[in-house]
């Protein structure tokens, strides 16, 4: 997200042989870091959510096409407030961001599964 202009974040999609973005995630996002204005390592300028669910899979995951951004946490993994805020920004709203914990106790807004149930139904 461009913090100076407040513009929504732009996804880094895979580019075809002609340099056009495709609907696939970038195969080598590290090579595209130079495209991020003012990029400095360790500041969280590049974020890669675990799962992005889109309305139209023929289009890139821009905010107008994102249904949900999902972060997975396992066991006792810690949540990072900066990451949560960044993912809400990517999603475009709090309602379009979910945290799903697999194993371990759920915290505040996290969703989880009934791991005792072989069907793994959501609780």
């Amino acid at each position: 997200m461009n913090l100076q202009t407040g513009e929504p974040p732009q996804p880094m999609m895979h580019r075809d042989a002609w340099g056009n973005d495709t609907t696939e995630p970038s195969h080598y996002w590290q090579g595209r870091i130079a495209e991020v204005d003012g990029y400095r390592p360790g500041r969280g300028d590049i974020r890669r959510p675990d799962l992005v669910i889109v309305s139209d899979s023929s289009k890139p995951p821009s905010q107008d096409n994102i249904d949900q951004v999902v972060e997975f946490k396992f066991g006792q993994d810690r949540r990072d407030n900066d990451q949560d805020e960044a993912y809400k920004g990517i999603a475009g709203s709090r309602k379009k961001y979910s945290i799903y914990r697999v194993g371990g106790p759920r915290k505040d807004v996290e969703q989880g599964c009934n791991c005792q149930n072989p069907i793994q139904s959501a609780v």
Side-chain angles (χ1 to χ4, degrees):
M1 182 178 300
N2 187 330
L3 299 176
Q4 284 74 33
T5 65
E7 294 176 20
Q10 297 299 310
M12 287 187 183
M13 306 308 289
H14 176 67
R15 290 198 172 138
D16 63 21
W18 299 274
N20 299 312
D21 283 351
T22 67
T23 57
E24 296 177 52
S26 179
H27 297 198
Y28 183 58
W29 61 268
Q30 300 92 331
R32 296 192 54 196
I33 291 174
E35 297 174 26
V36 178
D37 289 336
Y39 173 78
R40 288 193 322 218
R43 288 192 337 189
D45 293 331
I46 305 293
R47 296 287 184 167
R48 298 182 321 139
D50 291 328
L51 176 65
V52 177
I53 302 169
V54 296
S55 301
D56 184 344
S57 61
S58 70
K59 297 179 182 175
S62 55
Q63 281 185 341
D64 61 343
N65 190 33
I66 291 176
D67 283 339
Q68 198 74 23
V69 171
V70 181
E71 170 66 7
F72 289 96
K73 295 295 181 189
F74 296 91
Q76 297 297 321
D77 285 353
R78 289 188 192 174
R79 295 237 318 269
D80 179 317
N81 289 334
D82 290 340
Q83 181 184 57
D84 284 345
E85 291 305 312
Y87 288 174
K88 288 178 205 173
I90 290 169
S93 75
R94 168 65 190 103
K95 290 176 16 179
K96 291 170 37 174
Y97 173 56
S98 300
I99 304 115
Y100 193 86
R101 183 165 298 275
V102 179
R106 289 179 286 154
K107 300 168 179 74
D108 58 75
V109 299
E110 295 177 351
Q111 298 177 47
C113 68
N114 179 353
C115 294
Q116 303 304 314
N117 182 340
I119 299 173
Q120 297 290 303
S121 62
V123 294

